Amino acid sequence: MVLNLGILISGNGSNMVNIAKHCKLKNINCNIKIVLSNKNCGGIKKAKKLNLKSMILEPNKFKNRESYENKVSTLLRDHNVNLVCLAGYMLKLGKKFVKKWEKKIINIHPSLLPAFKGINAQEQAYREGVIFTGCTVHFVDQYLDTGQIIDQRIVKIDRNKPLKDLVKKILNEEHKLYINVLKKLSKEN
């Protein structure tokens, strides 16, 4: 089945760009229907450059969080999205939104969940002194980084290299993992 993707971003958009590249090359059975960002960021500029339908929706321009998320949901439905991909989206989604899109939202997280939830996961792993970390794609539930794990990739931490090298190494694995998960999900649906 073709997955119609809605991608939510807040930052640089490298995972979004990677997904777009694989869609264009037909490596995955997916179409990006819309890219939404909660702020003006590098990723939204890249989406426009790739001629992807994109929009900035700033939560503070709405009367409350629920009305913001209702607008996001309406836009996703209006564009026939059947899978929401969080790609560096830095807002926690509300319970009602998650329930509306149950088992239809996936997220990429830069650690081997359930370890190192939340922001700066790479730094948390680096400081904690673990030997391995990595990245995880999981279904989103109402809690932070606790949803059912779909797949993971392991990255060995090299203590002779700075944190920025680890961040880059994990991001490289994220790009591979996200594509593998999208391939898997398009075959299951």
Side-chain angles (χ1 to χ4, degrees), residues 75-125:
L75 284 166
L76 293 169
R77 291 201 192 286
D78 288 350
H79 287 85
N80 299 312
V81 168
N82 56 17
L83 184 68
V84 179
C85 297
L86 306 185
Y89 186 67
M90 298 309 288
L91 296 180
K92 186 178 180 302
L93 295 168
K95 191 189 275 189
K96 285 183 181 178
F97 184 91
V98 171
K99 185 133 183 77
K100 221 182 269 187
W101 290 90
E102 192 172 2
K103 292 284 188 187
K104 297 289 180 202
I105 310 169
I106 61 174
N107 182 45
I108 185 109
H109 183 75
S111 81
L112 293 174
L113 291 174
F116 310 115
K117 296 175 184 168
I119 61 169
N120 302 321
Q122 309 94 320
E123 186 178 341
Q124 290 179 54

Side-chain angles (χ1 to χ4, degrees), residues 122-163:
Q122 309 94 320
E123 186 178 341
Q124 290 179 54
Y126 194 80
R127 285 190 178 162
E128 206 55 43
V130 297
I131 298 167
F132 296 100
T133 188
C135 51
T136 304
V137 174
H138 64 95
F139 286 109
V140 173
D141 65 13
Q142 68 185 46
Y143 305 105
L144 184 65
D145 298 327
T146 60
Q148 177 191 340
I149 292 170
I150 302 168
D151 203 357
Q152 297 180 305
R153 284 182 92 92
I154 296 170
V155 172
K156 189 171 191 323
I157 297 178
D158 184 345
R159 296 276 158 217
N160 298 317
K161 294 193 174 164
L163 174 62

Side-chain angles (χ1 to χ4, degrees), residues 21-38:
K21 178 182 87 174
H22 284 275
C23 285
K24 188 175 181 180
L25 293 170
K26 305 278 188 230
N27 292 340
I28 52 177
N29 198 13
C30 302
N31 295 311
I32 298 174
K33 293 297 191 174
I34 190 164
V35 176
L36 298 173
S37 180
N38 62 304

Side-chain angles (χ1 to χ4, degrees), residues 29-66:
N29 198 13
C30 302
N31 295 311
I32 298 174
K33 293 297 191 174
I34 190 164
V35 176
L36 298 173
S37 180
N38 62 304
K39 61 184 181 177
N40 193 2
C41 60
I44 211 76
K45 291 174 182 76
K46 290 174 184 172
K48 287 179 178 169
K49 202 171 184 178
L50 292 167
N51 294 317
L52 298 172
K53 171 101 175 140
S54 58
M55 195 179 279
I56 300 168
L57 285 179
E58 296 177 30
N60 61 357
K61 302 248 165 97
F62 291 81
K63 109 177 142 181
N64 56 36
R65 186 59 178 258
E66 190 176 342

